[in-house]
Amino acid sequence: MNKYDVVVVGGGFTGLTAAYVLSKQGKRVCVLEADKTPGGLAGTFEFGDGVTLEKFYHHWFNNDVFVPELVKELGMDGDVILLPTRTGMYFNGRMWKLSTPLDLLRFKALSLVDRIRLGLLVFQVRRIKDWKTIEHLSIREWLESLAGKSVYKIVWEPLITSKFSVYAEAVNAVWMWKKLVLRGSTRNDKGGEELAYFKGGFGRLAEALAAAIRANGGDVRYGAAVTGMETEGKRITAVRTVNGEVASDKFLFTPSFPLIADMFEGKAPSDWLAKLRRVKYLGNMCLVLRLKHSLSETYWLNVNDPGFPFVGVIEHTNFDKPENYKGSHIAYLSRYLATEDPVWAYNDEQYFEFALEHLKRMFPKMDKSWVQEYAVWRSEYAQPVTERNYSDYVPGQETPYENAFISTMAQIYPEDRGTNYAIREGRAIARRLA
């Protein structure tokens, strides 16, 4: 059996970046990915005629550092597109533009006083330098104290409820604080928001990383789910996959905590496994629509109407051009939910019909005949739930074995998951493994 220097379990951006950095240093690395493609939540699929798309929508912010740095290192910086975005809100049966400060002043769903309070929120948020001072508060408790109950109820509550479902009242204020700090610093000199995208999608970037690992003498295997491990004393000697054992000196585990706990089951103390399983997650169902016509001019439409079961309608081709998708218009409908929710059990057709009914209410001109193709993607562990005082209970990178470490999106805190931070963490854990 071949023995590697490092085996990386999981081919998302954290695992791929760590493997890439180590392979550049001459380490023999092997990435084991359960899926058929790299990238994790940024993995791709193809519609019938070869139009390639991400399963879940992605972009990055113009103030992100680690994605462009990696893109440049791979010699692909010519493939980065910076674009101004059109954002809006669907509330009370109508669309509101919310891309600039002037749009905010026109948002008459709030009183003038509340519009001013909402506008000042970004400045209040920036004053907080130590996030631990608000970690004991829920998002509601924190935002109501800053902007008032009316602003929270109209602007934030529907989004938080759509995003966190049954955990909406449990998530701590740090999650929202970090989002507001980040979004407030992505404005251009006219006050509009500017985002970045990788030509051909993030899946193409993941493929480039995998190719670079192989070029450096490493190995990237797909369809290689890890089912267990072999151990000797304080060390893991090999992991078991559906295709046999893979031996290594060191191991890095990057999937979600519950999946890592399953891999360590029977090989680790029960109290440590319980810590991994203490972190809760929400699933995500993402409907990708390929349409003959555009739904609206807005890229990111937050849905603040309580009767609408989606956190937002993201019309990707209002960001990246339809010409890049053979003239089609691409829209994503995202729904976060507990996997116990009855909707989670819907088959693809049921979910499509369920979504279409609500979409037609929102865009009355839309017709089923507009839909050329659609796909439904599910991720059981899409969003870690950062409850009050999360930093006190989130597991660290160490495992019960001296040659094995963990780096997952649930440890990126106080930032929320995202490709930029996944790359940062991949570099950091590579330094530790080296």
Side-chain angles (χ1 to χ4, degrees), residues 13 27 45 74 134 179 235 289 376:
F13 272 93
K27 306 284 184 193
F45 74 101
L74 292 169
I134 59 170
K179 288 282 182 193
R235 297 179 69 79
L289 293 170
V376 179

Side-chain angles (χ1 to χ4, degrees), residues 304-363:
N304 288 50
D305 194 310
F308 194 84
F310 298 97
V311 67
V313 179
I314 296 92
E315 192 164 344
H316 178 67
T317 39
N318 284 338
F319 183 47
D320 193 13
K321 296 171 187 169
E323 297 91 271
N324 294 330
Y325 305 92
K326 299 193 177 175
S328 304
H329 298 268
I330 306 295
Y332 288 84
L333 269 80
S334 172
R335 179 179 170 92
Y336 289 91
L337 69 171
T339 53
E340 297 79 18
D341 190 309
V343 174
W344 183 261
Y346 284 8
N347 63 35
D348 290 2
E349 190 181 352
Q350 285 174 314
Y351 192 64
F352 168 68
E353 295 292 348
F354 164 78
L356 204 63
E357 177 192 329
H358 291 284
L359 205 58
K360 283 160 85 172
R361 208 156 43 85
M362 199 173 188
F363 304 101

